[in-house]
Amino acid sequence: MADIKEQFYPTYKANEKEVLLIEFEEAQRIANGQSNIYRQLTSILLGATTILIPLFFSNKEDTSFFITINQYSIQLAILISIVGYLLLRYFVELQKTITINARKVVTLRTLLGLDYGSIQLTLPNNRVEGANNPFVIKYFKGWLKFETTPFWILFIGVNLIWYLATKNKGDDIILNIKNISIPWLIGNILISFSYLHIFRTNLHDRHETTFLNFIKILATIFQLKLVNDFEYILYRAKLAYIELNRLEVDYSILKNILVDIEDSDFYKNNKGFSIKSLIRGAISQISFFRDKNNYIKSGGSTITMQLVRTLFISFGQNKFKRKCFEILLSYWISQQFTKEEILNIYIASVQYERNVIGLAKAIKYFFAYDLKNLKLSNEESFFLIERLSNITSSVNFDRIKYLNTKTSTNINYKKLITLYESRINIGLLKNIK
């Protein structure tokens, strides 16, 4: 496990309480200090903007100062825009630092065994004061939260200064090349989009992207329910497969069978979804074509699509809408993780039986094996893949026979059937006659 470099949020309690208390107090002190600095700088920024804006209003006083301001108003506006850009970057970095320290406080509090509970009876669990999960402390708090105040001050202030600096320029334009005129207004558009981009994208969490936020907006519009905390869900999924690796569970055969049966083009397809699979899935819904082409009924989802459905899309929603968002989310997640990571997360996260989530639980449920240094046999690996998303505990031997033809892994069919029959005999599965 020496090649694993990532740090993970602890799920255990530490014994060195004194050291943790010192670290906790220091982290809390730093977080509080940085928050105070943020508030003070926001007040200073507001004051500076309030002073600067009136300088660009038309002034009847014929003084050299205002004449100079008017003469160099464009240059000053450009300079202020650049300074505003730098200030915005500074506030973004300060906000990220505050968030990281707040997450550290929550993590250390958990290590110390302090838990305020998931029900908000006394302290809010979405703030550092009462949170048990560090991932609920977001980099980006929301457009109308106090933490966004510096952005709005700079956004409105710089745009207003640019407008005031250019409004008296008549028909002048920024640039005129070969009869292509660019009006002064384009400056406001550039300032607006650049400031929005700088602020929002630099406050993305680890796997957050603009495309993911667009998907979330679409989900709200089309009333499809997604999970609230993508980062925490991904963290738990990654932690699950890291734990399998820590225990040195060898499930390489299982991965090969998974790809053979569920998504033979998995390594070739970098989009996360497959048009061919979706068409085949649609055809398989019609019994005539299903029998003619020897298909089994399926939804046409790739491994990646199945993963995002399991992790992020709430159960029991409109199938068509769900499938559309599976496609979008599968493209997003395929840009975030390697093929091996997607496979590992899938195996460690999906359902193998009703209320049996993840490979570790599936192995214990069906085989009662100790996970340490475990190597799954070909037949056991096939068995677990065949069980994927089966919530009825039923066994269809015709389906098993068909799936066996799809894998290149050598399966001892007699041993495989014995494996199923033994689980039927002890009541874990039931045979479909």
Side-chain angles (χ1 to χ4, degrees):
M1 295 302 296
D3 58 326
I4 296 175
K5 305 295 184 184
E6 295 193 68
Q7 295 178 341
F8 285 88
Y9 166 49
T11 54
Y12 56 86
K13 303 295 185 293
N15 295 320
E16 299 293 334
K17 300 285 186 180
E18 295 80 6
V19 176
L20 284 176
L21 276 171
I22 295 172
E23 185 73 10
F24 174 75
E25 290 171 358
E26 181 66 13
Q28 199 159 36
R29 184 187 66 80
I30 293 172
N32 291 336
Q34 289 171 333
S35 297
N36 289 333
I37 292 172
Y38 194 86
R39 285 191 289 269
Q40 291 167 6
L41 289 176
T42 301
S43 300
I44 293 170
L45 179 63
L46 180 60
T49 306
T50 305
I51 293 170
L52 280 173
I53 289 174
L55 298 179
F56 289 84
F57 279 98
S58 298
N59 200 297
K60 295 180 180 179
E61 295 182 31
D62 189 17
T63 64
S64 59
F65 176 75
F66 285 105
I67 291 173
T68 303
I69 290 290
N70 185 61
Q71 184 179 357
Y72 296 102
S73 60
I74 300 297
Q75 292 88 334
L76 285 171
I78 292 172
L79 178 62
I80 290 170
S81 299
I82 295 170
V83 172
Y85 168 87
L86 297 174
L87 283 172
L88 192 58
R89 287 299 301 266
Y90 172 75
F91 275 103
V92 164
E93 291 304 316
L94 185 56
Q95 178 58 37
K96 289 172 73 173
T97 304
I98 292 169
T99 302
I100 290 168
N101 272 292
R103 288 180 174 182
K104 184 177 180 180
V105 168
V106 176
T107 302
L108 290 169
R109 189 163 60 215
T110 303
L111 281 169
L112 288 166
L114 299 174
D115 189 340
Y116 295 114
S118 58
I119 301 175
Q120 300 186 58
L121 295 178
T122 54
L123 296 172
N125 56 23
N126 61 343
R127 291 169 56 99
V128 66
E129 292 86 353
N132 300 315
N133 168 14
F135 293 96
V136 302
I137 314 297
K138 305 292 186 183
Y139 288 127
F140 177 70
K141 313 296 183 184
W143 289 111
L144 299 179
K145 299 294 184 180
F146 166 76
E147 290 81 1
T148 316
T149 304
F151 165 78
W152 288 117
I153 293 172
L154 289 167
F155 181 84
I156 295 171
V158 174
N159 267 298
L160 185 56
I161 286 171
W162 179 263
Y163 168 75
L164 293 172
T166 59
K167 72 170 186 173
N168 295 321
K169 300 301 178 182
D171 295 329
D172 288 352
I173 52 178
I174 293 177
L175 195 61
N176 192 343
I177 301 176
K178 295 182 179 179
N179 298 320
I180 299 175
S181 299
I182 301 178
W184 292 114
L185 180 62
I186 200 70
N188 289 104
I189 295 172
L190 289 173
I191 290 168
S192 298
F193 276 99
S194 62
Y195 277 35
L196 282 167
H197 176 75
I198 293 162
F199 185 75
R200 188 62 189 93
T201 57
N202 282 282
L203 286 177
H204 280 165
D205 222 314
R206 183 169 186 178
H207 300 105
E208 185 182 6
T209 64
T210 301
F211 183 61
L212 176 60
N213 289 326
F214 174 70
I215 294 172
K216 290 179 179 179
I217 292 170
L218 285 180
T220 302
I221 293 171
F222 290 100
Q223 298 182 331
L224 185 98
K225 188 176 180 182
L226 302 177
V227 298
N228 292 324
D229 197 341
F230 275 56
E231 290 298 325
Y232 181 65
I233 295 296
L234 285 172
Y235 158 75
R236 296 298 304 184
K238 289 165 69 178
L239 188 63
Y241 86 73
I242 290 293
E243 180 65 9
L244 287 173
N245 292 344
R246 186 186 70 81
L247 294 170
E248 298 181 351
V249 178
D250 185 350
Y251 52 97
S252 55
I253 296 171
L254 184 142
K255 286 199 284 189
N256 293 335
I257 296 174
L258 171 64
V259 172
D260 286 342
I261 291 178
E262 294 290 335
D263 188 0
S264 58
D265 292 329
F266 176 74
Y267 288 107
K268 302 175 187 176
N269 179 12
N270 295 316
K271 300 188 298 293
F273 62 92
S274 169
I275 300 298
K276 182 175 72 174
S277 295
L278 289 168
I279 293 173
R280 185 169 61 241
I283 292 173
S284 74
Q285 303 301 311
I286 304 170
S287 58
F288 172 77
F289 292 109
R290 188 164 62 242
D291 296 338
K292 182 179 179 181
N293 295 283
N294 195 28
Y295 290 158
I296 60 172
K297 192 173 182 179
S298 71
S301 295
T302 62
I303 286 173
T304 312
M305 290 173 68
Q306 293 175 43
L307 175 62
V308 297
R309 180 177 67 228
T310 300
L311 293 180
F312 307 124
I313 302 177
S314 299
F315 182 74
Q317 302 188 76
N318 180 276
K319 289 184 178 180
F320 177 75
K321 287 196 292 186
R322 188 189 69 194
K323 189 67 67 177
C324 291
F325 279 89
E326 281 180 31
I327 293 171
L328 293 173
L329 286 169
S330 65
Y331 178 78
W332 162 74
I333 204 171
S334 66
Q335 309 305 309
Q336 302 300 309
F337 297 100
T338 66
K339 292 292 185 181
E340 285 303 312
E341 286 175 326
I342 288 173
L343 276 182
N344 289 334
I345 292 173
Y346 179 96
I347 288 166
S349 306
V350 294
Q351 181 172 246
Y352 292 81
E353 179 60 68
R354 186 186 296 274
N355 298 324
V356 180
I357 309 297
L359 181 61
K361 287 186 177 180
I363 291 172
K364 291 179 180 179
Y365 179 80
F366 287 113
F367 307 129
Y369 292 156
D370 181 10
L371 294 176
K372 183 64 177 175
N373 297 317
L374 175 66
K375 179 178 174 62
L376 291 167
S377 69
N378 293 8
E379 292 72 34
E380 289 164 344
S381 298
F382 180 95
F383 176 94
L384 290 170
I385 294 302
E386 190 275 327
R387 291 287 87 200
L388 285 174
S389 300
N390 191 322
I391 60 173
T392 62
S393 304
S394 59
V395 177
N396 185 330
F397 285 102
D398 289 336
R399 180 175 184 272
I400 292 167
K401 190 174 182 180
Y402 168 76
L403 292 178
N404 187 35
T405 64
K406 295 187 67 175
T407 179
S408 59
T409 302
N410 184 29
I411 304 293
N412 186 316
Y413 194 69
K414 186 176 180 180
K415 285 185 179 179
L416 181 64
I417 297 304
T418 302
L419 189 62
Y420 278 98
E421 289 175 344
S422 64
R423 270 61 197 170
I424 292 171
N425 292 336
I426 61 177
L428 290 179
L429 301 175
K430 55 187 178 183
N431 188 11
I432 297 179
K433 301 297 183 182

